Amino acid sequence: MFADDILLLASDTASYKFSNSLVNPLREIELWAHKFNLKINPIKSKFIIFPFAKRVTHIPRLKICGKNIRNCSEFKYLGLIFDDRLTWVSHFNSVKGRVSGIQYKIKRLSRATCGALPEVLKEIYLRAVEKFILYGAPIWFSENVKLRNKILQIQRIPLLGISKAYRTVSTDALHILCGCPPLDLVAKNDFILFKLFGRHCPIQVGDQTISFDDVAHLHSDPDPPWNVISFPWAIGDPDNQIGLNIFTDGSKLNNKVGFGIVCFDERIDEHLWSVSESLNDEAA
């Protein structure tokens, strides 16, 4: 079983200092994984440096489980592709490719003169495609012209399908024909709302400053699903749990996807059973 999505953040005044400052934190991760019978995969482990201003001239040497950790200029974490300059170019190139694939499948259901109505295609866009494009907007959004153009370029793909217009129609005209606002404005709105309601930071609207306390009474989240429908379960230190200990994991390696389940006794001394299966390569 592998321990997925473990993230270690560190900052320092110079990149060469990481070689020493991260020895103990990485050792703590190794001990934690060993305690819970998890295995760190050095092949999938990597690190990235985000330089504050200057170019990185020294790449630190980091090791985990006796293996070197590979340095990279970009990596994917929880669905977002981070690059060392936080330009998000690679992320949106990936998003564009996937949106094009989705639109190609939708196009098979809707032709210029037949098939699904524009109203149906617009609903699919608003409920699914737009949400997919805007995933992580509070993190990647900025008032950057290149970023804005990239977002509009991606939005143009589904809007052409909704309007069933010629490819030469301008993006501004597509927004009007489809009744869909420019996606960079929608992303900015998500960013501002997260800043206000998520981080409780004041925002500026014209000449007025609005704080979270001013609008807290307007923001009432519904109860999360786990409070509405309860499925009893427990989480904590397996050493203090009573009963069986079952661990699950999914992983993608070398473009192959699979999952595994392993069951131990209550003291995690005896391996009772385990199962692993391969899944469709597109499952991830």
Side-chain angles (χ1 to χ4, degrees):
M1 305 298 290
F2 295 105
D4 280 355
D5 298 330
I6 298 177
L7 179 66
L8 177 62
L9 293 175
S11 62
D12 217 320
T13 55
S15 59
Y16 70 88
K17 295 184 178 181
F18 289 126
S19 297
N20 294 325
S21 63
L22 289 179
V23 171
N24 289 334
L26 290 172
R27 180 57 180 166
E28 288 293 326
I29 293 177
E30 293 179 19
L31 294 175
W32 171 83
H34 178 74
K35 178 179 179 181
F36 296 113
N37 291 325
L38 297 174
K39 183 179 179 181
I40 302 295
N41 187 352
I43 298 177
K44 297 180 66 176
S45 301
K46 58 183 70 174
F47 74 92
I48 186 172
I49 301 175
F50 300 103
F52 178 71
K54 298 180 180 180
R55 182 179 178 182
V56 177
T57 57
H58 177 84
I59 303 299
R61 296 187 62 182
L62 304 178
K63 290 188 176 184
I64 191 165
C65 300
K67 302 289 185 179
N68 288 327
I69 303 178
R70 178 167 53 92
N71 173 245
C72 62
S73 59
E74 63 182 45
F75 77 102
K76 187 175 183 179
Y77 184 72
L78 298 181
L80 294 176
I81 300 178
F82 294 78
D83 61 89
D84 54 4
R85 292 292 177 178
L86 295 178
T87 63
W88 304 105
V89 172
S90 297
H91 173 71
F92 283 109
N93 285 338
S94 175
V95 171
K96 182 180 179 181
R98 298 188 66 177
V99 170
S100 297
I102 294 172
Q103 190 59 34
Y104 175 77
K105 295 178 181 179
I106 294 177
K107 191 176 180 180
R108 297 169 62 183
L109 305 175
S110 175
R111 300 295 181 179
T113 57
C114 62
L117 297 175
E119 292 82 359
V120 176
L121 300 178
K122 182 178 179 180
E123 191 69 15
I124 294 174
Y125 164 75
L126 293 175
R127 302 300 178 186
V129 180
E130 184 179 87
K131 298 295 187 294
F132 172 73
I133 300 173
L134 292 177
Y135 173 73
I139 298 174
W140 51 253
F141 177 79
S142 66
E143 300 281 1
N144 183 288
V145 176
K146 290 185 178 180
L147 183 63
R148 174 184 180 274
N149 292 338
K150 194 68 177 179
I151 297 172
L152 295 179
Q153 187 183 62
I154 297 173
Q155 185 190 24
R156 179 180 173 84
I157 298 172
L159 293 190
L160 280 171
I162 296 172
S163 64
K164 301 186 179 182
Y166 290 108
R167 298 174 64 89
T168 54
V169 175
S170 68
T171 303
D172 292 337
L174 288 175
H175 291 145
I176 297 174
L177 291 173
C178 299
C180 297
L183 202 55
D184 62 310
L185 298 182
V186 182
K188 183 177 181 179
N189 181 68
D190 288 353
F191 172 78
I192 293 175
L193 290 178
F194 177 79
K195 184 178 179 181
L196 179 63
F197 292 110
R199 301 179 61 187
H200 296 182
C201 297
I203 62 173
Q204 193 73 25
V205 180
D207 298 331
Q208 184 179 4
T209 300
I210 301 176
S211 66
F212 176 75
D213 294 334
D214 297 331
V215 295
H217 63 285
L218 302 176
H219 184 67
S220 57
D221 288 331
D223 289 336
W226 51 85
N227 286 342
V228 178
I229 303 175
S230 177
F231 296 92
W233 62 290
I235 185 171
D237 188 342
D239 292 341
N240 299 324
Q241 301 298 315
I242 299 176
L244 300 178
N245 289 275
I246 299 177
F247 300 89
T248 64
D249 183 39
S251 183
K252 183 173 184 178
L253 183 63
N254 297 329
N255 294 322
K256 299 296 182 181
V257 181
F259 74 91
I261 305 174
V262 61
C263 179
F264 294 91
D265 64 354
E266 62 183 21
R267 300 182 60 184
I268 317 186
D269 291 330
E270 181 182 357
H271 170 248
L272 301 180
W273 56 267
S274 62
V275 61
S276 61
E277 293 289 344
S278 297
L279 300 176
N280 188 295
D281 294 343
E282 299 178 354

